């Protein structure tokens, strides 16, 4: 089974801090994704990566950046955390170039910005 | 970007009953997927139906797809308390590995 591991289940940070959320997958998947999930808004794609050092903006990239230095690891960075970035963050991975394959999700990180 | 929309938004049923959820979307798709999310956890993939398929089964799950109406339904038969969760549909519209998710459908199964 695919395992996607997010480094923290819960995280509390202060406004203005630089925040790193880490995600690791163990199935050699090329594609990795970061979403945020908010009540009433569903899942929204922040960034995704289709290969090492490659990244592409999703629907809501403002205030975020990402890093993919190794195939198995995809990091989401909040450059200067703000209270409106309090949310549930979900990481996912998927094998590349296989259109009819699902995404595999981690358990999420619930981030609170005070 | 295109989004799936589930209907109804919330459903409360007795254990043993069937639960049906619907999802609509707006553009052409390669496939439609259903995911489950237990409270405070990540999403778990349930079933994927391709655009050239009309019906698919997996255990107690039955999914239908009507591309002419741009809609899908998820049926959970003989529901159990463990089926209590939120259910999301997601569409792969362009085959570029991006999914568009609906807002979710909360199902509560009462023992």
């Amino acid at each position: 089974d695919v395992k996607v591991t997010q480094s923290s289940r819960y995280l509390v940070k202060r406004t203005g801090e630089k925040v790193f959320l880490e995600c690791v997958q163990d199935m050699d998947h090329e594609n990795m994704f970061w979403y945020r999930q908010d009540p009433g808004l569903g899942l929204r794609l922040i960034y995704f990566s289709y290969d090492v050092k490659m990244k592409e903006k999703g629907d809501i990239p403002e205030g975020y950046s990402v890093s993919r230095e190794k195939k198995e690891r995809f990091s989401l960075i909040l450059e200067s955390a703000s209270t409106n970035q309090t949310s549930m963050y979900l990481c996912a991975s998927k094998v590349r170039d296989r259109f009819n394959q699902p995404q595999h999700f981690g358990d999420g990180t619930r981030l609170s910005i005070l | 970007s295109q989004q799936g929309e589930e209907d109804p938004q919330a459903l409360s049923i007795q254990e043993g009953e069937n639960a049906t959820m619907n999802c609509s979307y707006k553009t052409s798709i390669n496939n439609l997927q259903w995911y489950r999310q237990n409270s405070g956890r990540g999403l778990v993939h349930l079933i994927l139906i391709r655009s050239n398929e009309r019906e698919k089964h997996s255990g107690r799950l039955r999914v239908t797809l009507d591309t002419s109406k741009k809609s899908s339904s998820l049926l959970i038969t003989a529901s159990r308390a463990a089926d209590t969760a939120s259910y999301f549909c997601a569409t792969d519209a362009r085959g570029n590995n991006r999914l568009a998710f609906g807002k979710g459908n909360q199902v509560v199964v009462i023992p």
Side-chain angles (χ1 to χ4, degrees):
Chain A
D1 277 354
V2 177
K3 187 158 180 65
V4 178
T5 303
Q6 295 185 230
S7 54
S8 305
R9 290 292 307 278
Y10 301 95
L11 205 54
V12 180
K13 296 291 183 181
R14 296 203 174 275
T15 303
E17 280 193 69
K18 190 169 186 176
V19 181
F20 293 85
L21 302 183
E22 306 288 346
C23 175
V24 176
Q25 50 93 6
D26 67 355
M27 281 302 291
D28 204 35
H29 284 172
E30 291 81 6
N31 294 293
M32 296 187 75
F33 308 83
W34 275 107
Y35 297 89
R36 65 176 282 176
Q37 182 178 24
D38 301 287
L41 297 177
L43 273 78
R44 294 179 290 167
L45 182 65
I46 306 171
Y47 267 98
F48 68 102
S49 169
Y50 48 90
D51 207 341
V52 175
K53 297 191 185 296
M54 306 302 286
K55 63 183 179 183
E56 197 161 322
K57 292 180 180 179
D59 300 318
I60 51 164
E62 296 78 19
Y64 303 94
S65 63
V66 290
S67 173
R68 184 105 181 261
E69 295 297 320
K70 293 184 178 181
K71 192 175 186 179
E72 67 271 18
R73 185 180 298 270
F74 191 34
S75 303
L76 179 69
I77 304 156
L78 285 66
E79 297 291 345
S80 178
S82 64
T83 54
N84 63 12
Q85 292 178 309
T86 291
S87 187
M88 173 73 138
Y89 289 87
L90 292 163
C91 174
S93 73
K94 178 184 175 295
V95 64
R96 182 169 63 190
D97 295 338
R98 299 281 297 276
F99 295 150
N100 294 307
Q101 294 293 323
Q103 292 185 11
H104 301 269
F105 284 81
D107 269 342
T109 296
R110 190 166 292 281
L111 175 64
S112 296
I113 306 296
L114 305 180
Chain B
S1 61
Q2 168 219 356
Q3 288 187 332
E5 295 184 1
E6 296 91 349
D7 172 52
Q9 300 297 309
L11 187 63
S12 183
I13 57 174
Q14 294 288 330
E15 200 166 33
E17 293 181 341
N18 296 341
T20 300
M21 289 155 273
N22 299 308
C23 169
S24 61
Y25 56 92
K26 296 175 183 173
T27 64
S28 297
I29 60 172
N30 289 313
N31 65 68
L32 185 144
Q33 304 175 30
W34 286 91
Y35 289 80
R36 184 188 74 228
Q37 184 180 36
N38 292 94
S39 180
R41 306 301 294 268
L43 275 70
V44 174
H45 174 75
L46 293 176
I47 196 164
L48 181 152
I49 186 165
R50 303 180 186 192
S51 59
N52 61 353
E53 297 176 314
R54 292 296 167 257
E55 187 171 313
K56 202 162 184 180
H57 297 256
S58 177
R60 294 184 295 111
L61 304 180
R62 172 177 171 257
V63 170
T64 62
L65 180 64
D66 187 336
T67 53
S68 66
K69 295 181 179 178
K70 293 186 168 56
S71 68
S72 173
S73 68
L74 171 67
L75 168 68
I76 305 173
T77 60
S79 62
R80 305 168 182 169
D83 294 329
T84 294
S86 292
Y87 292 83
F88 294 84
C89 70
T91 51
D92 178 352
R94 291 173 284 178
N96 64 357
N97 297 310
R98 294 181 62 158
L99 291 178
F101 283 86
K103 291 182 173 53
N105 189 328
Q106 192 162 13
V107 174
V108 175
V109 181
I110 302 166

